């Protein structure tokens, strides 16, 4: 197994301008995000709606262009890629799966068309092997009988089947990286596990690096090797999935964990004591921790200085002055912020 | 919060704990007529007692929203009731006049619809929407109504001053709370919630549900909680009924359902929620997808997806594919509709 | 055109339908249009005109514009179904042959204008940036030109007033309006997941415009075509009526022109005016009905409205009928 990271993200930032006559405000959708995706691993990007996680996926899929920061693909800077041939090369290795199975397929084209197009564009197989390859892809994604499915139109398939077609399409180009943007949140509950298991299988068989964007911690735990927790556009915690969920460092991760329903536990005794706030990206946020308004551990420095992502233990990092303080920073806890 | 509760002007509650508040007996609802009609709800029996939280769980197309709409008598064509009775405190709602039903709705039973956040009128202030609802059902002057609105907002955890706010000025979670407050404004005995928190963040979801629990303790209303998220019901509901393809397949107290699920669909459904704690085991979910109700499978509707429906056991197989299982009580409070359970095989 | 919502996305006409084996394979869109009463009637009307145009040479006289002193100003009769003009020409022949010109001209102008509008509008929407700005600028120029005065001026100056020129001029004048509308709809489609997925698969822009966006805008494009068709028809007839067309050709507008110039109505001869006018009105009505049908089929809300109106009508009939029945009962 190669250890080189096919995709490396450094200080990725995306701001969307808001209309304003005099003062141009901007929404900091993604702010200073850094991570890497390694082959044969599933990295979960967990956050609530508006936290910026989908934007990260779309930035990596080159559907948006970053405001700042770099994305390195196979060592090369992505923003330097301009020629169509190079863009195509990138697209043949980085694919995206969308959330809405009803919207991600063209309603007037057959399943076969959807799978043939990427095969043709990237010349994956010679012309006479197209049909065979399409059937193989469908079978790999658990859609049988492939010949029958290939002839169908999207509206003739169920939500779960459509999502499998989307996965098969992504796999057609034999990508190294697959960005899955909430692939199961619009599916029926009993079908979700099937899709998650499919992702696990593909990760192992094809050594693909998955980015699994989700708001559901439980499913992240089920399939992910590593977890990145996002809040208001920033990564606030990262580390191996099991460790982060067993012993979360960042107060937001702790909040998420205590709020999420756990099918393994009956009644949750702990009551959430916290102030209201939004996990969504802030408009022109001031200096300081973005979670400070809701944080039970907040101290004075939290509203003055934006915390950096500090590695508190090997492989585990958090963006918090209190639980992962930068070396040398004094965090003498003053009276608790009310 | 309790002091605010006492300030709200309400008639004293006379509820006997444990009496049946809402009873659905063999409820049947169809969409359309003639050849292309679909039986969305097929002979559903459900009972909600005063003061309890009953969860109705199922996936898309199982008919749970239709059940709620039928209970409120707000079925819209082409949906129509074709059989069964809806008894509220002993009286059958089917056959009541339009005026009686109008008075019944909102006073005795109120409902929070799916994606209700968008049910607020965008050009009316929040307080005025309360006033509208209240004055539609009782004689109350505007000032008193607004005062009650402010109190209710406080009850659901929103600052009183927001009574003058417009819906777009509030976040999604706050709008949902407003809707719940409006639903409680006339002090119903039963609150029906249809996927009340699906579009909300997990943190806000928990807050709102805890708020509803607290309100329930103070006011004593019963709750019918409809959702696809079984893991939520396991935490919040007293009793849970599982719906599949228009029928109730299992119903039990929440703890019992989690510990001893009998119907293969319930077992599969519980298997579909990966745990956040404890050992990590591979899960299987349920293969296939819910049936097309225009042409439901013969016999047990779940049999095409059931891991225990095998031709190798011909006697049982015959029953599973030809005969519809009936809901039977197997232990106290635990009912299952399954041939396997009847045969004592499961 | 206010009814058609350029942002309306539900296009049931787009999703191809499967038909039972053995039944005639009617394309989905045609089946939908035939099911809707308005477009069904419209299609029948247009179909009728098309048939007439096709068999025109068989049912008309050899030289419809010939003068025939012996047959001047004859009222409609079995010999001359629509009567004759002041010069003795058979109006029936002029009308049926004129149908050819009208249909050809309308269809060609419609096709050209719609193709231009679709290609430019959709590309502008999808590409954005400088391409969008450039095409918008072009569209604006053409939009600000008032069509009728332009046509009048162009027609008066052009030596060649043949059909080709007319088609070109009409298309150039009418494409801009539709381009704007199609751009609007494409804008709402371009960020749909399946378009993004195609982009992510590596599809080039031209393929996205042609294979992903256009096929999902069929109903709007079809509506654009029908609209340009009947506007072209009316405009052409109007120009000819003003004497700015090719007076040698056989067409409805020319027949009307001669009817006007010879002041036939003042002499009590209604037929030189009536028949070509009726033919024109009939064709335009058919097109408008097809347009309304496309409207209803693409906009589910209009379908619901129609259902409600039908229900109301039914109730009214029931009510009135019931009372009438009660009255007769009482009377007996």
């Amino acid at each position: 197994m190669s250890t080189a990271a096919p995709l490396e993200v450094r200080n990725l930032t995306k701001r969307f301008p808001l209309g304003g006559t005099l003062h141009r405000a901007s929404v900091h959708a993604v702010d200073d995000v850094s991570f890497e995706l390694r082959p044969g691993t599933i990295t979960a990007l967990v956050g609530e709606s508006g936290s910026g996680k989908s934007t990260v996926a779309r930035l990596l899929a080159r559907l948006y262009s970053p405001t700042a920061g770099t994305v390195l693909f196979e060592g090369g800077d992505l923003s330097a890629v301009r020629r169509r041939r190079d863009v195509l090369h990138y697209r043949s290795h980085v694919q995206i799966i969308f959330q809405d199975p009803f919207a991600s397929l063209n309603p007037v084209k057959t399943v076969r068309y959807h799978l043939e197009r990427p095969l043709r564009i990237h010349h994956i197989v010679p012309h006479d092997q197209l049909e065979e390859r399409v059937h193989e892809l469908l079978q790999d994604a658990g859609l049988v009988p492939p010949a029958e499915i290939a002839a169908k139109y999207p509206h003739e398939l169920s939500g779960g089947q459509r999502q499998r077609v989307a996965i098969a399409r992504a796999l057609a180009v034999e990508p190294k990286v697959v960005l899955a943007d909430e692939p199961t949140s619009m599916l029926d509950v009993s079908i979700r596990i099937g899709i998650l298991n499919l992702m696990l299988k593909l990760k192992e068989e094809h050594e693909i690096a998955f980015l699994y964007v989700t708001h559901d911690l439980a499913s992240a735990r089920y399939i992910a090797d590593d977890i990145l927790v996002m809040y208001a556009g920033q990564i606030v915690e990262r580390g191996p999935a099991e460790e982060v969920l067993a012993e979360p460092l960042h107060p937001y991760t702790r909040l998420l964990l205590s709020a999420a329903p756990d099918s393994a536990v009956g009644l949750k005794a702990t009551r959430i004591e916290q102030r209201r706030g939004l996990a969504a990206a802030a408009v022109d946020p001031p200096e300081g921790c973005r979670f400070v308004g809701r944080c039970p551990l907040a101290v004075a420095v939290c509203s003055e200085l934006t915390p950096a992502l500090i590695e508190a233990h090997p492989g585990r990092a958090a963006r918090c002055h209190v639980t992962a303080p930068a070396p040398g920073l004094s965090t003498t806890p003053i009276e608790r912020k009310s | 919060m309790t002091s605010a509760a006492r300030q709200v002007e309400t008639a004293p509650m006379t509820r006997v704990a444990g009496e049946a508040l809402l009873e659905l007996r063999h409820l049947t609802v169809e969409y359309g007529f003639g050849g292309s009609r679909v039986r969305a709800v097929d002979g559903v029996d459900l009972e909600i007692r005063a003061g309890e939280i009953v969860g109705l769980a199922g996936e898309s197309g199982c008919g749970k929203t239709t059940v709620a709409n039928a209970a409120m008598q707000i079925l819209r064509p082409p949906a129509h009731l074709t059989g069964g009775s809806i008894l509220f405190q002993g009286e059958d709602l089917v056959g009541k006049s339009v005026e009686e039903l109008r008075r019944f709705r909102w006073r005795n039973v109120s409902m929070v619809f799916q994606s209700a956040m968008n049910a607020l009128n965008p050009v009316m202030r929040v307080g005025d929407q309360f006033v509208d609802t209240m004055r539609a059902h009782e004689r109350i002057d505007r000032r008193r109504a607004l005062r009650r609105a402010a109190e209710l907002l406080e009850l659901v955890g929103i600052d009183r001053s927001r009574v003058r706010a417009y819906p777009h000025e509030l976040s999604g979670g706050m709008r949902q709370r407003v809707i719940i407050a409006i639903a409680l404004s006339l002090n119903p005995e039963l609150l029906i919630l249809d996927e009340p928190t699906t579009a909300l963040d997990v943190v806000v979801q928990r807050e709102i549900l805890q708020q509803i629990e607290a309100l329930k303790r103070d006011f004593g209303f019963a709750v019918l909680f409809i959702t696809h998220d079984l893991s939520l019901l396991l935490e919040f509901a007293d009793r849970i009924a599982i719906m599949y393809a228009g029928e109730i397949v299992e119903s039990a107290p929440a703890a019992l359902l989690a510990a001893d699920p009998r119907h293969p669909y319930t077992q599969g459904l519980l298997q579909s929620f990966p745990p956040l704690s404890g050992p990590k085991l591979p899960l299987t979910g349920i293969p296939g997808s819910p049936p097309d109700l225009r042409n439901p499978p013969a016999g047990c509707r779940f049999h095409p997806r059931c891991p225990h429906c095998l031709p190798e056991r011909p006697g049982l197989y015959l029953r599973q594919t030809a005969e519809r299982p009936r809901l039977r009580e197997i232990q106290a409070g635990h009912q299952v509709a399954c041939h396997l359970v009847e045969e004592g095989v499961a | 055109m206010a009814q058609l919502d350029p942002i309306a996305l539900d296009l049931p006409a787009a999703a191809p339908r499967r038909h039972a084996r053995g039944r005639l394979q009617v394309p989905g869109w045609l089946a939908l249009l035939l099911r809707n009463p308005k477009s069904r009637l419209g299609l029948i009307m247009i179909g009728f005109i098309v048939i007439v145009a096709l068999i025109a040479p068989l049912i008309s006289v050899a030289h419809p514009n010939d003068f025939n002193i012996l047959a001047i100003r004859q009222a409609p009769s079995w010999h001359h179904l629509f009567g004759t003009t002041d010069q003795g020409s058979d109006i029936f022949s002029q009308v049926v042959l004129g149908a050819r010109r009208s249909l050809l001209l309308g269809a060609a102008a419609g096709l050209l204008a719609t193709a231009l509008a679709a290609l430019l509008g959709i590309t502008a929407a999808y590409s954005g940036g400088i391409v969008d700005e450039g095409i918008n600028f072009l569209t604006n120029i053409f939009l600000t030109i008032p069509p009728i005065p332009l046509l009048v001026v162009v027609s008066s100056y052009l030596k060649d007033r043949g059909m080709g020129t007319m088609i070109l001029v009409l298309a150039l004048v009418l494409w801009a309006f539709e381009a704007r509308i199609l751009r609007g709809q494409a804008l709402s489609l371009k960020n749909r997941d399946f378009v993004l997925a195609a982009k992510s698969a590596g599809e080039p822009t031209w393929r996205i415009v042609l294979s992903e966006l256009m096929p999902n805008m069929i109903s709007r494009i079809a509506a654009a075509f029908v609209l340009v068709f009947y506007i072209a028809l009316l405009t052409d007839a109007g120009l000819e009526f003003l004497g700015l067309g090719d007076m040698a050709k056989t067409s409805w507008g020319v027949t009307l022109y001669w009817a006007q110039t010879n002041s036939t109505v003042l002499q009590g001869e209604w037929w030189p005016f009536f028949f070509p006018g009726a033919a024109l009105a009939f064709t335009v009505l058919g097109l408008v009905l097809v347009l309304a049908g496309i409207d209803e089929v693409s906009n589910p809300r209009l379908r619901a409205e129609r259902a409600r109106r039908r229900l109301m009508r039914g109730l009214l009939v029931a009510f009135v009928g019931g009372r009438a029945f009660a009255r007769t009962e009482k009377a007996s």
Side-chain angles (χ1 to χ4, degrees):
Chain A
M1 179 176 114
S2 105
T3 47
L7 206 61
E8 211 188 306
V9 179
R10 286 190 199 157
N11 311 105
L12 192 62
T13 304
K14 178 67 181 167
R15 292 192 203 117
F16 292 103
L18 287 182
T21 37
L22 289 172
H23 165 61
R24 277 223 119 195
S26 57
V27 175
H28 290 226
V30 176
D31 213 338
D32 195 28
V33 162
S34 306
F35 61 89
E36 62 181 32
L37 297 175
R38 288 186 303 280
T41 58
I42 299 185
T43 306
L45 187 55
V46 177
E48 297 299 331
S49 56
S51 58
K53 55 193 198 302
S54 284
T55 313
V56 168
R58 283 165 191 231
L59 280 166
L60 294 181
R62 263 187 87 104
L63 295 171
Y64 297 149
S65 46
T67 314
T70 37
V71 176
L72 294 169
F73 173 62
E74 289 175 341
D77 190 348
L78 196 57
S79 46
V81 172
R82 294 221 186 260
R83 288 202 318 240
R84 173 155 170 81
R85 203 180 50 183
D86 299 325
V87 173
L88 225 52
H89 175 73
Y90 180 74
R91 293 207 184 285
S92 75
H93 287 297
V94 177
Q95 282 291 303
I96 183 166
I97 300 168
F98 295 94
Q99 178 180 17
D100 187 349
F102 298 80
S104 61
L105 300 178
N106 189 336
V108 299
K109 302 284 188 198
T110 58
V111 167
R112 172 177 293 116
Y113 176 87
H114 284 97
L115 295 182
E116 269 185 4
R117 284 309 301 158
L119 291 174
R120 286 191 134 129
I121 296 172
H122 299 270
H123 310 293
I124 306 285
V125 286
H127 194 86
D128 49 352
Q129 290 176 21
L130 265 179
E131 175 134 0
E132 198 188 307
R133 190 85 190 99
V134 167
H135 290 193
E136 273 173 28
L137 287 168
L138 287 172
Q139 268 176 327
D140 226 4
L143 290 165
V144 286
E148 223 177 87
I149 304 260
K152 286 196 190 266
Y153 287 92
H155 68 271
E156 296 175 307
L157 301 172
S158 72
Q161 287 174 316
R162 278 183 242 210
Q163 207 62 318
R164 285 174 191 262
V165 170
I167 292 175
R169 170 176 59 184
L171 251 33
V173 299
E174 286 157 33
K176 297 202 174 109
V177 175
V178 173
L179 311 160
D181 188 0
E182 301 213 51
T184 56
S185 56
M186 291 186 73
L187 297 176
D188 266 331
V189 169
S190 59
I191 306 179
R192 289 179 192 177
I193 295 286
I195 301 289
L196 293 176
N197 286 341
L198 176 62
M199 284 169 65
L200 277 172
K201 174 186 103 145
L202 294 170
K203 161 196 107 163
E204 290 183 7
E205 282 179 9
H206 301 269
E207 287 269 307
I208 297 175
F210 271 97
L211 180 69
Y212 174 55
V213 178
T214 181
H215 64 271
D216 177 20
L217 267 181
S219 65
R221 181 186 183 227
Y222 184 66
I223 61 170
D225 302 298
D226 298 311
I227 279 192
L228 303 163
V229 180
M230 264 188 96
Y231 183 80
Q234 295 175 318
I235 294 198
V236 296
E237 182 156 6
R238 71 155 174 250
E242 208 57 44
E243 287 179 38
V244 169
L245 294 174
E247 271 189 55
L249 285 174
H250 197 280
Y252 178 63
T253 318
R254 294 181 191 167
L255 180 62
L256 273 185
L257 256 174
S258 61
D262 187 356
S263 57
V265 177
L267 209 52
K268 273 224 182 339
T270 49
R271 197 176 174 143
I272 297 189
E273 203 67 68
Q274 44 85 53
R275 279 135 271 146
R276 243 131 266 139
L278 292 171
V283 180
D284 288 344
E287 183 75 17
C289 175
R290 292 182 194 173
F291 192 61
V292 74
R294 306 165 73 179
C295 186
L297 305 175
V299 296
V301 68
C302 295
S303 10
E304 289 156 21
L305 189 62
T306 309
L309 202 57
I310 307 283
E311 192 155 302
H313 313 302
R316 298 260 276 121
R319 192 185 288 270
C320 179
H321 288 306
V322 176
T323 56
L329 186 69
S330 100
T331 51
T332 37
I334 315 174
E335 67 287 359
R336 215 189 96 156
K337 281 243 147 173
S338 52
Chain B
M1 200 178 287
T2 351
S3 55
R6 284 197 211 104
Q7 280 169 31
V8 174
E9 298 162 24
T10 61
M13 297 288 174
T14 44
R15 290 196 189 108
V16 178
E19 75 180 22
L21 199 58
L22 183 74
E23 243 189 286
L24 304 174
R25 286 199 198 144
H26 217 72
L27 189 66
T28 308
V29 177
E30 287 179 1
Y31 280 78
F33 297 91
S36 62
R37 94 195 117 141
V38 174
R39 198 169 270 197
V41 177
D42 201 343
V44 158
D45 294 310
L46 188 67
E47 190 183 83
I48 303 170
R49 291 187 274 264
E52 71 170 344
I53 300 182
V54 172
L56 187 56
E59 299 176 292
S60 55
C62 70
K64 52 196 198 294
T65 299
T66 311
V67 164
N69 288 347
M72 280 281 276
Q73 287 285 311
I74 53 171
L75 287 175
R76 277 216 146 98
H80 56 283
L81 202 78
T82 52
S85 46
I86 304 165
L87 300 167
F88 186 77
Q89 287 176 330
E91 283 181 58
D92 198 342
L93 295 178
V94 182
K96 287 226 169 190
S97 73
V98 173
E99 184 53 35
E100 288 173 315
L101 282 176
R102 202 185 62 79
R103 269 183 276 130
F104 158 79
R105 279 187 224 112
W106 235 259
R107 302 211 96 204
N108 301 98
V109 183
S110 67
M111 185 159 161
V112 173
F113 301 88
Q114 215 164 352
S115 62
M117 293 192 287
N118 301 319
L120 288 172
N121 188 333
V123 298
M124 269 173 87
R125 292 184 205 270
V126 160
D128 293 330
Q129 309 206 32
F130 274 92
V131 173
D132 253 13
T133 308
M134 287 193 259
R135 291 180 77 168
H137 288 88
E138 62 179 33
R139 294 170 157 294
I140 179 171
D141 70 78
R142 200 186 137 77
R143 199 173 306 157
R144 260 178 60 200
L146 275 175
R147 233 187 312 136
R148 176 113 64 105
E151 284 161 354
L152 284 164
L153 282 182
E154 210 169 44
L155 276 177
V156 293
I158 299 180
D159 194 65
R160 297 174 81 108
S161 63
R162 304 317 283 265
V163 119
R164 294 185 45 74
Y166 284 96
H168 66 265
E169 295 172 344
L170 305 172
S171 72
M174 290 171 89
R175 287 202 291 265
Q176 194 69 329
R177 285 174 220 253
V178 168
I179 291 284
I180 292 170
I182 294 180
L184 293 174
S185 58
L186 289 162
N187 248 305
E189 277 136 55
L190 172 63
L191 180 66
I192 302 182
L193 301 166
D194 190 356
E195 303 273 16
T197 54
T198 305
L200 299 173
D201 294 344
V202 106
V203 176
V204 176
Q205 172 178 272
R206 184 163 289 274
E207 276 174 31
I208 288 186
L209 292 176
Q210 282 171 340
Q211 204 103 61
I212 292 179
E213 262 187 331
L215 290 168
K216 189 206 89 160
R217 280 197 295 273
D218 291 331
F219 289 96
F221 51 80
V223 177
L224 176 60
F225 192 155
I226 298 171
T227 179
H228 65 276
D229 193 342
L230 188 54
S231 57
L232 265 185
L233 292 180
L234 289 173
E235 288 194 41
F236 285 98
D238 299 316
R239 274 193 311 123
I240 300 177
I242 309 279
M243 256 188 102
Y244 184 79
E247 308 173 309
I248 299 217
V249 296
E250 186 160 5
S251 138
L256 191 55
L257 194 83
D260 187 19
R262 295 300 197 92
H263 196 284
Y265 178 62
T266 316
Q267 293 164 350
L269 208 58
L270 283 169
Q271 269 263 302
S272 304
F273 293 92
L276 259 181
S277 53
K280 242 173 82 162
L281 299 163
L283 299 172
T284 46
I286 308 177
S289 38
D292 183 352
L293 287 177
R294 281 173 294 190
N295 226 341
C300 167
R301 293 201 180 149
F302 186 64
H303 87 254
R305 303 170 77 185
C306 184
H308 302 291
C309 181
L310 308 156
E312 284 82 47
R313 291 190 271 182
L316 186 61
Y317 187 71
L318 200 63
R319 283 193 74 193
Q320 288 168 328
T321 52
E323 196 186 310
R324 261 182 71 183
R326 298 226 331 243
L327 207 58
R328 282 193 221 284
E329 182 141 327
I330 54 168
Q331 325 170 23
H334 193 167
Q335 297 162 314
V336 189
C338 179
H339 292 303
L340 297 158
V341 171
E342 281 182 37
E343 303 254 332
V345 185
Chain C
M1 285 314 297
Q3 297 151 299
L4 244 177
D5 178 7
I7 314 298
L9 282 177
D10 270 288
L11 308 171
R17 302 284 200 89
R18 295 249 190 246
H19 292 272
R21 252 176 281 130
R23 270 212 253 146
L24 197 67
Q25 280 285 7
V26 179
W29 57 269
L30 188 60
L32 270 171
L33 286 179
L34 285 173
R35 211 176 302 162
N36 179 286
K38 288 192 181 123
S39 54
R40 185 166 58 223
L41 181 60
L43 282 172
I44 292 173
M45 289 166 79
I46 300 298
F48 175 71
I49 297 287
V50 168
I51 293 175
V52 165
L54 284 173
I55 64 173
L58 302 170
I59 54 176
S60 58
V61 301
H63 302 285
N65 295 326
D66 271 0
F67 293 178
N68 186 351
I69 303 288
L70 297 170
I72 60 168
R73 300 203 196 138
Q74 289 196 1
S77 63
W78 277 119
H79 202 63
H80 295 282
L81 276 173
F82 286 174
T84 58
T85 65
D86 266 18
Q87 281 75 35
S89 318
D90 179 27
I91 292 179
F92 179 76
S93 308
Q94 290 194 340
V95 169
V96 300
L97 282 170
R100 301 189 129 204
R101 181 201 161 83
S102 295
L103 287 178
L104 218 61
L105 182 122
L111 266 169
L112 190 55
T114 308
L116 259 177
L119 278 170
L120 289 177
I122 299 177
T123 307
Y126 181 72
S127 304
I130 195 162
V131 174
D132 190 14
E133 302 215 4
I135 296 181
N136 272 349
F137 183 64
L138 195 67
T139 315
N140 284 334
I141 292 181
F142 277 91
L143 270 177
T144 51
I145 303 173
I148 304 284
L150 172 73
L151 282 167
V152 169
V153 167
V154 168
S155 306
S156 341
Y157 272 101
L158 279 179
K159 296 287 189 310
D160 167 25
R161 290 177 182 180
M163 192 147 70
T165 322
M166 200 46 102
I167 292 174
L168 197 64
V169 174
L170 281 168
L172 281 176
V173 158
L174 296 170
W175 75 271
F177 169 70
E178 283 302 332
R180 173 119 314 156
I181 295 185
L182 290 175
R183 175 180 173 273
Q185 193 181 26
L187 274 178
S188 66
L189 273 180
K190 84 166 187 181
N191 283 318
R192 292 259 253 155
D193 285 350
F194 71 86
V195 176
L196 293 176
K199 182 173 178 186
S200 163
E203 293 275 31
T205 302
W206 66 269
R207 266 211 83 113
I208 292 188
V209 167
L210 287 178
S211 290
E212 308 286 333
L213 291 171
M214 242 193 249
N216 282 294
M217 293 171 57
I218 283 292
S219 75
R220 195 59 198 76
I221 294 177
F225 172 72
V226 174
L227 181 75
V228 175
F229 197 133
Y230 86 76
I231 291 182
L233 218 58
L234 288 171
T235 311
D236 178 59
L239 284 173
E240 288 170 342
F241 183 71
L242 292 174
L244 296 167
D246 188 350
M247 292 303 133
K249 289 286 186 250
T250 312
S251 86
W252 297 336
V254 171
T255 311
L256 283 168
Y257 169 77
W258 286 117
Q260 154 78 344
T261 323
N262 296 332
S263 310
T264 54
V265 175
L266 286 174
Q267 297 165 39
E269 293 158 26
W270 50 273
W271 50 94
F273 251 128
F274 176 77
F275 290 105
L280 189 61
F282 183 82
T283 313
V284 172
L285 180 63
L287 289 168
V288 168
L289 282 172
V290 170
L291 200 57
I294 296 179
D295 248 0
E296 273 186 14
V297 161
S298 346
N299 193 341
R301 255 178 294 141
L302 290 176
R303 266 185 273 155
E305 272 300 305
R306 191 159 54 86
R308 205 168 56 91
R309 262 184 278 126
R310 234 187 299 143
L311 180 68
M312 288 286 133
R313 232 184 303 138
L315 288 174
L316 185 69
V317 167
F319 176 67
V320 170
R323 289 193 64 181
F325 181 70
R327 228 172 284 140
T328 52
E329 280 289 314
K330 236 187 356 177
S332 62

